Amino acid sequence: MNKKYALKNKYWQEIRQKILRADHILFFSDYDGTLAPFNPVPAEADALTEAVESLKLIAEKEKYYLSLVSGRQLSDLKNMLKLEKANYAGSHGLEIELFISDEIIYPFSEQNIDQKSKEIYQDIKEKYQAKAQLEVEDKGFGMALHCSDEITKKEIRDELNEKFAEKNYQVLAGRKIVEIRPQAWNKGKAVNFIAGKISDKFALENYLKIYIGDDRTDEDAFQVIDEGISIYVQNEDDLNTEAEYYLKDPHDTAELLKLLAGEA
């Protein structure tokens, strides 16, 4: 696909003009593969220092409202970044904490999941937790199976697709990972939920949404950006994405954040 490289001056100026025309910016970013380079041990996947420093500056800008949206659990995501005046959406937006509120919001109810789906989910979790060579990340609402190679990932994905066919959970394969999550919620819905809460709270008009992400789960967010700015972080994959712009890797993300923060 003919995508626009966001750091090419022509397209950066295009992005910049869109930002200048808006009175407010609702800025959303994924974490792994976007702010942090991939690490086989999730707990050691640290965001690039220069990216975090720019995010701190962006969060302090009166025009910007910063949100982090990740498949990680909310507590884990907050621990990795520790940014104030930021909204956090963990577990693909199944648990949300807004800087304007002291409570955690759970926009999706587990009551929407039928008993049979719950039983299959529990059986699958116990099966894979028993495999010593596979890291299972229990997120409460769902789980992530971290795979060491593509063959293992494909085998797990195929088995889970069969198990959860027409059930209330969905299976998503990303980079070295297979995730199981409730069918009725995704990052796109989380973005719209946060945007609605923030725009209502501050009576925002003429605002622009920006979303940066790198994986299949971020495609749901790209689809709800409308007239905003959607940016895909390519890493090692092709450019088969709904996003309008792209970056090559988290180092590119850090460079773009530096521009947005006004440091360059």
Side-chain angles (χ1 to χ4, degrees), residues 23-159:
D23 293 330
H24 309 281
I25 305 297
L26 301 185
F27 183 88
F28 300 86
S29 177
D30 176 41
Y31 183 81
D32 293 284
T34 299
L35 300 174
F38 284 106
N39 190 308
V41 181
E44 298 176 5
D46 296 322
L48 296 173
T49 301
E50 56 269 36
V52 175
E53 291 305 311
S54 291
L55 284 175
K56 289 178 181 177
L57 293 173
I58 289 171
E60 291 303 317
K61 287 177 176 286
E62 185 176 349
K63 182 173 179 173
Y64 278 77
Y65 296 86
L66 175 63
S67 300
L68 290 310
V69 185
S70 172
R72 288 175 178 263
Q73 286 183 275
L74 178 63
S75 57
D76 185 23
L77 178 62
K78 290 184 65 180
N79 185 57
M80 299 303 281
L81 284 168
K82 299 183 177 71
L83 293 170
E84 296 184 13
K85 200 187 172 187
N87 305 304
Y88 291 90
S91 302
H92 303 287
L94 288 163
E95 41 182 356
I96 295 173
E97 186 172 319
L98 305 175
F99 78 92
I100 56 175
S101 173
D102 293 330
E103 62 182 4
I104 297 174
I105 302 168
Y106 302 96
F108 175 85
S109 172
E110 286 193 61
Q111 294 177 353
N112 295 330
I113 301 176
D114 66 273
Q115 187 60 35
K116 183 61 177 177
S117 295
K118 290 180 180 179
E119 291 173 1
I120 294 173
Y121 175 86
Q122 187 62 32
D123 289 344
I124 287 293
K125 184 168 77 170
E126 292 174 1
K127 172 184 174 178
Y128 283 107
Q129 283 178 330
K131 292 181 179 292
Q133 71 276 21
L134 189 71
E135 182 176 354
V136 178
E137 183 183 357
D138 186 354
K139 300 181 178 182
F141 295 101
M143 62 179 155
L145 309 175
H146 296 270
C147 311
S148 59
D149 58 77
E150 288 298 312
I151 295 175
T152 302
K153 185 181 84 172
K154 183 179 184 305
E155 290 175 349
I156 293 174
R157 182 198 64 197
D158 291 347
E159 177 189 4

